[in-house]
Amino acid sequence: MNLAWTLTLNEPSDQETMLNVAGTFEFTEGVIPDPMQTAEADSMRLLQISTMFIDNLRHDVDAFRFRNSGGVVTVDYDSALSNTLLPVTPSSLHPETLRFDSLHTDDVGQPNGNTPSYRITINSTAGPMSGPITVRAFFNSSQNLKDDNLGLWAFQQPSERIEKGTIGSINYTVIASTCPLPAIDFDPGVLQTPERLWEASHNRSVGF
């Protein structure tokens, strides 16, 4: 694919940083997404965060969170779940809250210390994919602290065949925070836009 990205970084505070990402792509060859990986929400990823999870003492993040039709779901990483797609039973994001969190919920995480949590809000997608968006994660059993052995990604159903010259786009926002943003933000009608999330979290962080 030919890829182009526009990255807009807001003025950071001591506690949060917000990055807006606008990407476009064009397929330079015809592609048939693997049907088995597609069935597992793994064939054509909209975006991915790569971090590290070895065990409950050595990690960059230790859980992820999203909201589906039944409510807020938090999936904790556990070494016993390595080499397994998570959540074991996938479900799509609630259409009114197209966001998910990569969480660091504790104050440990050797050797990298108290690494940030991330919130990703998907603003729009266009191109050879359609339908609900699903979040999945996978980490292998590597014990190498230099490995980004954990991937967390967003997936949307691709076309069965993607022709050469097909174009598309994705626009999303990332907030990196020293503390996880609150789960109440996943409720429909509460702080819907990334800008409002940023404003609210920034005001909390500086004591307003």
Side-chain angles (χ1 to χ4, degrees):
M1 290 188 289
N2 288 326
L3 303 170
W5 302 98
T6 299
L7 309 180
T8 305
L9 182 65
N10 287 40
E11 184 68 28
S13 71
D14 290 340
Q15 287 77 28
E16 283 100 12
T17 297
M18 184 170 75
L19 176 70
N20 293 303
V21 181
T24 59
F25 56 87
E26 178 182 2
F27 282 81
T28 56
E29 299 180 17
V31 172
I32 299 177
D34 183 280
M36 292 185 64
Q37 287 186 305
T38 296
E40 295 179 335
D42 188 25
S43 64
M44 184 175 167
R45 303 176 185 185
L46 297 173
L47 62 98
Q48 175 173 311
I49 300 173
S50 295
T51 51
M52 182 267 288
F53 183 88
I54 305 298
D55 53 39
N56 63 349
L57 293 178
R58 298 172 294 172
H59 54 266
D60 293 328
V61 292
D62 56 282
F64 69 96
R65 178 174 63 191
F66 64 98
R67 186 177 191 272
N68 62 16
S69 60
V72 176
V73 177
T74 301
V75 179
D76 295 311
Y77 297 126
D78 185 311
S79 300
L81 298 174
S82 64
N83 303 316
T84 303
L85 281 167
L86 302 172
V88 176
T89 302
S91 57
S92 58
L93 300 182
H94 191 288
E96 295 183 34
T97 51
L98 294 179
R99 64 176 59 102
F100 59 97
D101 290 346
S102 179
L103 296 170
H104 192 173
T105 63
D106 53 39
D107 292 327
V108 299
Q110 302 169 14
N112 298 323
N114 190 17
T115 52
S117 294
Y118 303 94
R119 170 163 293 176
I120 297 88
T121 300
I122 299 174
N123 302 316
S124 65
T125 64
M129 56 274 184
S130 61
I133 295 173
T134 301
V135 175
R136 300 217 80 179
F138 181 91
F139 62 98
N140 62 43
S141 55
S142 170
Q143 293 292 299
N144 189 340
L145 295 176
K146 296 180 180 180
D147 282 352
D148 279 346
N149 69 324
L150 168 63
L152 174 67
W153 65 88
F155 170 89
Q156 194 170 28
Q157 180 77 21
S159 303
E160 292 185 1
R161 179 177 179 86
I162 303 172
E163 301 296 337
K164 178 180 178 179
T166 299
I167 60 174
S169 64
I170 179 170
N171 185 295
Y172 61 95
T173 302
V174 182
I175 297 177
S177 174
T178 55
C179 295
L181 295 172
I184 192 174
D185 296 341
F186 286 87
D187 291 340
V190 177
L191 298 173
Q192 282 298 300
T193 67
E195 290 74 19
R196 290 182 65 191
L197 285 167
W198 167 256
E199 180 182 0
S201 64
H202 180 71
N203 286 346
R204 283 196 301 267
S205 68
V206 297
F208 283 85

